[in-house]
Amino acid sequence: MLSVVVTSNDATPIIRDEARRFAKKYGLPWHHARMANTSCYLLEFSDQGVCLLDAEHPAESGYTVDFSDIDLRTGPGNLSRKQPLAKAIGKDTQTVVDATAGLGHDAFLLACMGFEVMAVERSPVIGRLLQDGLRRALESPVHAERLKDRLQVTIGDAKAFLESMKTKPDVVYVDPMYPPKRKQSALAKKHIRLVRDIVGNDEDAESLAQAALRIAQRRVVVKRPNHAPPLLDEPDLQFKGKLVRYDVYLKHESSRPS
């Protein structure tokens, strides 16, 4: 994993204080300005939001979580309940914990579909990017109307979070990192490399899925590439897309589809 330095280049005093507090809370180094370094990323707080920069090339545009280009159509678009993701989550589901939120794409989609979603990300850097992306999405009237208050983001260990919940979620969703089988686009490579560099390879994915099985009331959904074996035992149900599938582990007979 590469290290991350928190910066607040040319930010207002309020934003600089926020950056310092964040760095102190999570034990990250803080620097008031951008710096060149070949072995780390820069998490930059500014008046525009939070951005992740490659410290080797800090002048280049960085990465922000941006949901503005997501297709919000409910027919054939991303929000169709006929998609494999929605089918895997289940039509009678209300509450979902996304235990491996990452940059939040699936959590955002599920919330826009109408599910109540708690997205948990253990990396404070990735989690802070996601929180900032959600903040900006809610500033858009179109996205705010679609999301309402259905998506919450928390930074922390997912297993500890699940075990601390007083009301258990209907579904726990697990989407661990996996090596790509085929050549990806340049954008996808950047996206995957960014998360893997900071978070690692999710070596504890199986134990997280096992913990999810103890907590979820109705089912656990594990996202896998089509070429990979199941993370746990053979699933009760599978819903396949072009490149990925959703392995569903049911908790009791009443949650089985009729």
Side-chain angles (χ1 to χ4, degrees):
M1 299 183 202
L2 293 181
S3 62
V4 177
V5 176
V6 178
T7 74
S8 49
N9 194 55
D10 296 330
T12 62
I14 292 176
I15 299 298
R16 285 200 301 270
D17 288 343
E18 180 187 355
R20 278 196 294 262
R21 289 194 301 271
F22 178 86
K24 182 178 180 180
K25 180 177 181 179
Y26 294 106
L28 298 170
W30 176 81
H31 199 274
H32 72 281
R34 293 180 181 178
M35 49 183 286
N37 190 312
T38 60
S39 62
C40 73
Y41 284 107
L42 302 177
L43 185 68
E44 183 167 278
F45 286 67
S46 72
D47 298 339
Q48 289 71 46
V50 182
C51 178
L52 194 66
L53 300 161
D54 184 341
E56 188 174 3
H57 306 286
E60 296 180 358
S61 61
Y63 185 90
T64 59
V65 172
D66 183 6
F67 298 117
S68 63
D69 61 348
I70 288 182
D71 186 350
L72 296 180
R73 292 175 297 164
T74 56
N78 279 327
L79 304 188
S80 170
R81 287 287 188 109
K82 295 181 180 180
Q83 286 197 71
L85 173 59
K87 289 182 177 180
I89 295 298
K91 64 180 181 179
D92 296 325
T93 293
Q94 294 184 351
T95 57
V96 180
V97 170
D98 182 347
T100 51
L103 296 169
H105 182 271
D106 288 348
F108 184 87
L109 286 179
L110 291 171
C112 287
M113 289 176 188
F115 300 103
E116 298 286 339
V117 183
M118 174 58 72
V120 185
E121 174 51 50
R122 63 180 169 186
S123 164
V125 173
I126 300 298
R128 189 64 187 84
L129 286 170
L130 177 52
Q131 289 174 337
D132 185 66
L134 176 59
R135 174 191 63 80
R136 284 182 284 102
L138 291 172
E139 291 175 352
S140 160
V142 174
H143 288 83
E145 173 62 24
R146 177 64 67 180
L147 279 170
K148 300 188 184 298
D149 295 321
R150 289 192 293 262
L151 177 57
Q152 306 295 322
V153 178
T154 189
I155 297 172
D157 179 78
K159 283 186 282 189
F161 179 85
L162 288 169
E163 291 168 357
S164 71
M165 296 183 74
K166 293 181 179 179
T167 302
K168 305 306 181 185
D170 294 329
V171 174
V172 178
Y173 179 66
V174 181
D175 177 15
M177 290 292 299
Y178 51 82
K181 181 180 179 181
R182 61 193 64 169
K183 186 177 181 180
Q184 305 285 323
S185 69
L187 181 61
K189 282 185 176 180
K190 180 179 179 180
H191 169 96
I192 294 171
R193 184 179 69 249
L194 181 152
V195 177
R196 182 176 283 113
D197 280 353
I198 294 173
V199 177
N201 290 319
D202 285 340
E203 302 293 345
D204 60 344
E206 184 175 348
S207 65
L208 173 58
Q210 292 286 1
L213 283 170
R214 296 194 297 270
I215 301 299
Q217 294 195 71
R218 298 180 64 84
R219 58 179 64 185
V220 171
V221 178
V222 181
K223 185 178 180 179
R224 299 291 283 164
N226 281 331
H227 66 271
L231 185 64
L232 300 174
D233 297 329
E234 286 300 315
D236 297 294
L237 302 169
Q238 284 188 333
F239 297 90
K240 290 187 177 182
K242 292 181 179 179
L243 298 176
V244 302
R245 70 174 191 275
Y246 302 91
D247 293 344
V248 180
Y249 300 87
L250 302 176
K251 289 298 295 291
H252 48 74
E253 190 67 25
S254 64
S255 67
R256 291 182 180 273
S258 57

